[in-house]
């Protein structure tokens, strides 16, 4: 007899209607319709089979769970197949194998009264297994190459959506924390994008590990509002564990791309620059400036007075020494 309160026709239609807005932008329009249709058809058939199955005694909620599992996995794996460029004539066979697997495993999980988290895990395990088996079967028939199988296995829309959801949540948390930070300025924080807030929080992790003087020097290069947000994050307890490491890594990589490339240093010009500094300056002042420096630095500056070069000093360090001397000598 039909399951009381379970209208499988309406439920299948409702699930299919949710597919369109959730489809990724990179899916072609023709394939979008394919995904909508296959979700509707599989959910309709699953719901009908449950409603007519006299060997089980499911209630409406249990029937909905099984049907929704099928709809969700049909959605994700159809996207994976399309992104893998699997020939349309082979998609239905793979999808049918997945749908049947979900139907049987989800039913069994409910009959065994599994916890929802366990049910989700066991269904996912068997879906991946069925997907791999279907691909291997096509490879063994000579329909797919090894590279095509690897390509198909490399796509996982469900994992991509989970990652995007995690990143969105991280951004929202970072925004909320920044909005509540003291002295950050509510009006300014509200104008800052979630992505910028997350980048500031990620950069704050780097700043936390720098010496105070170096950190303050970098903070002074930011506008006052951003610098204050950075300071708030730097002082935040357990900041590293409040942000997803993958999101932090992504943000820092994006920040790195915006940084200017290190300038190439001409060694001869640097030594000539140092020679001119020493030649045109009071040697006693130079001696006072480098008096507390390491012996290697003293030797380097002394050698420059006679036009010599010290190979133990790298060009970048030599450039820093020159800049330091110029700043000190002009005061």
């Amino acid at each position: 007899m039909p399951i009381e309160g379970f209208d499988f026709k309406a439920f299948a239609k409702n699930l299919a209607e949710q597919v369109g807005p959730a489809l990724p932008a990179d899916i072609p329009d023709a394939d979008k319709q394919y995904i909508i249709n296959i979700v509707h058809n599989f959910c309709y058939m699953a719901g009908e089979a449950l409603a007519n199955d006299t060997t089980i005694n499911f209630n409406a909620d249990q029937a909905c769970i099984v049907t929704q599992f099928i709809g969700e996995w049909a959605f994700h794996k159809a996207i994976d197949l399309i992104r893998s460029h699997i020939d349309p004539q082979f998609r239905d066979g793979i999808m049918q194998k997945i749908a049947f697997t979900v139907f049987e495993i989800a039913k069994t999980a409910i009959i065994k009264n599994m916890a929802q988290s366990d049910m989700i895990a066991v269904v996912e395990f068997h879906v991946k297994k069925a997907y791999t088996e279907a691909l291997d079967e096509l490879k063994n028939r000579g329909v797919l190459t090894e590279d095509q199988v690897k390509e198909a296995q490399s796509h996982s829309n469900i994992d991509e959506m989970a990652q995007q959801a995690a990143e969105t949540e991280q951004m929202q948390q970072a925004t909320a924390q920044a909005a509540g930070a003291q002295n950050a300025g509510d009006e300014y924080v509200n104008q800052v994008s979630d992505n910028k807030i997350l980048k500031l929080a990620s950069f704050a992790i780097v700043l936390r590990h720098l010496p105070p003087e170096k950190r303050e020097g970098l903070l002074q290069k930011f506008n006052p509002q951003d610098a204050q947000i950075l300071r708030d994050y730097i002082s935040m307890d357990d900041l590293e564990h409040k942000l997803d490491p993958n999101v932090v890594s992504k943000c820092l990589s994006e920040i790195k791309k915006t940084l200017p490339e290190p300038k190439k240093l001409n060694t001869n010009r640097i030594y000539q620059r140092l020679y001119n500094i020493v030649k045109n300056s009071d040697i006693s002042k130079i001696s006072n400036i480098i008096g507390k420096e390491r012996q290697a630095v003293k030797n380097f500056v002394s050698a420059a007075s006679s036009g010599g070069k010290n190979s133990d000093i790298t060009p970048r360090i030599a450039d820093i020494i020159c800049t330091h001397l110029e700043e000190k000598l002009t005061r």
Side-chain angles (χ1 to χ4, degrees), residues 11-23:
F11 191 55
K13 181 181 178 182
N14 178 265
L15 291 176
E17 288 173 347
Q18 296 177 37
V19 171
L23 285 168

Side-chain angles (χ1 to χ4, degrees), residues 34 38 42 77-78 81-82 85-98 131 134-135 137-139 141-145 148:
Y34 168 79
I38 205 165
F42 281 172
K77 299 317 289 183
L81 287 173
I82 289 166
H85 306 293
I86 299 296
D87 196 300
Q89 65 177 310
F90 303 118
R91 291 177 190 166
D92 284 352
I94 297 173
M95 293 302 302
Q96 287 168 7
K97 186 177 182 67
I98 290 170
Y131 186 61
L135 293 172
E137 183 180 338
L138 290 174
K139 183 185 70 173
R141 287 166 47 192
V143 173
L144 298 179
T145 65
Q148 286 175 309

Side-chain angles (χ1 to χ4, degrees), residues 31 41 108 123 143 166 234 252 326 331:
D31 290 326
N41 293 341
T108 302
V123 169
V143 173
I234 290 168
L252 293 179
E326 288 169 341
R331 291 180 182 176

Side-chain angles (χ1 to χ4, degrees), residues 57-59 62 65-66 104-120 122:
N57 188 28
F58 281 4
N59 58 36
Q62 292 169 324
I65 289 172
V66 175
E104 292 300 321
I105 298 300
K107 273 201 316 177
T108 302
I110 289 177
I111 292 170
K112 290 184 176 181
N113 199 29
M114 281 189 181
Q116 186 176 11
S117 58
D118 293 337
M119 191 185 308
I120 292 172
V122 74

Side-chain angles (χ1 to χ4, degrees), residues 18-28 31-33 35-36 75 79 83:
Q18 296 177 37
V19 171
L23 285 168
D26 64 303
I27 302 298
D31 290 326
K32 288 180 179 178
Q33 192 57 53
I35 297 172
I36 294 171
F75 172 83
I79 290 174
R83 284 175 169 167

Side-chain angles (χ1 to χ4, degrees), residues 29-273:
D29 289 341
D31 290 326
K32 288 180 179 178
Q33 192 57 53
Y34 168 79
I35 297 172
I36 294 171
N37 290 342
I38 205 165
V39 168
H40 177 268
N41 293 341
F42 281 172
C43 289
Y44 186 101
M45 289 187 291
E48 185 177 34
L50 290 169
N52 296 329
D53 192 340
T54 58
T55 65
I56 59 175
N57 188 28
F58 281 4
N59 58 36
D61 287 342
Q62 292 169 324
C64 285
I65 289 172
V66 175
T67 307
Q68 189 160 352
F69 264 124
I70 290 174
E72 289 177 352
W73 278 108
F75 172 83
H76 291 301
K77 299 317 289 183
I79 290 174
D80 290 346
L81 287 173
I82 289 166
R83 284 175 169 167
S84 304
H85 306 293
I86 299 296
D87 196 300
Q89 65 177 310
F90 303 118
R91 291 177 190 166
D92 284 352
I94 297 173
M95 293 302 302
Q96 287 168 7
K97 186 177 182 67
I98 290 170
F100 177 78
T101 297
V102 175
F103 185 74
E104 292 300 321
I105 298 300
K107 273 201 316 177
T108 302
I110 289 177
I111 292 170
K112 290 184 176 181
N113 199 29
M114 281 189 181
Q116 186 176 11
S117 58
D118 293 337
M119 191 185 308
I120 292 172
V122 74
V123 169
E124 181 174 3
F125 172 81
H126 284 281
V127 165
K128 290 180 178 179
K129 181 180 178 183
Y131 186 61
T132 299
E133 289 175 351
L135 293 172
D136 285 341
E137 183 180 338
L138 290 174
K139 183 185 70 173
N140 294 336
R141 287 166 47 192
V143 173
L144 298 179
T145 65
E146 182 69 31
D147 288 342
Q148 286 175 309
V149 171
K150 289 181 179 179
E151 170 72 11
Q153 290 176 327
S154 70
H155 293 281
S156 180
N157 187 66
I158 191 169
D159 290 335
E160 290 179 17
M161 288 186 66
Q163 179 63 28
Q164 289 171 1
E167 290 181 8
T168 300
E169 184 178 357
Q170 289 289 331
M171 288 182 181
Q172 291 172 345
Q173 289 177 355
T175 302
Q177 290 168 355
Q182 292 183 347
N183 302 321
D186 291 343
E187 183 177 349
Y188 177 76
V189 171
N190 289 335
Q191 295 173 355
V192 179
S193 69
D194 289 345
N195 189 45
K196 181 175 179 179
I197 286 290
L198 198 56
K199 286 182 178 179
L200 288 172
S202 300
F203 190 56
I205 292 176
V206 177
L207 293 178
R208 282 161 72 103
H209 297 280
L210 295 180
E213 292 184 2
K214 179 69 172 177
R215 180 195 309 156
E216 190 59 33
L218 289 172
L219 285 171
Q220 290 177 4
K221 297 181 183 297
F222 289 83
N223 67 50
Q225 295 93 336
D226 288 346
Q228 184 56 54
I229 292 175
L230 282 167
R231 288 189 176 94
D232 290 329
Y233 277 125
I234 290 168
S235 62
M236 188 176 292
D237 292 337
D238 206 26
L239 176 63
E240 288 84 351
H241 295 92
K242 291 180 179 178
L243 297 174
D244 185 330
N246 293 325
V247 176
V248 171
S249 177
K250 180 179 178 182
C251 287
L252 293 179
S253 295
E254 292 177 1
I255 292 172
K256 185 178 179 181
K257 291 178 182 177
T258 65
L259 298 176
E261 290 293 327
K263 61 180 181 180
K264 293 182 179 179
L265 300 175
N266 185 303
T267 304
N268 290 330
R269 286 183 181 178
I270 293 173
Y271 285 117
Q272 183 61 46
R273 179 180 162 201

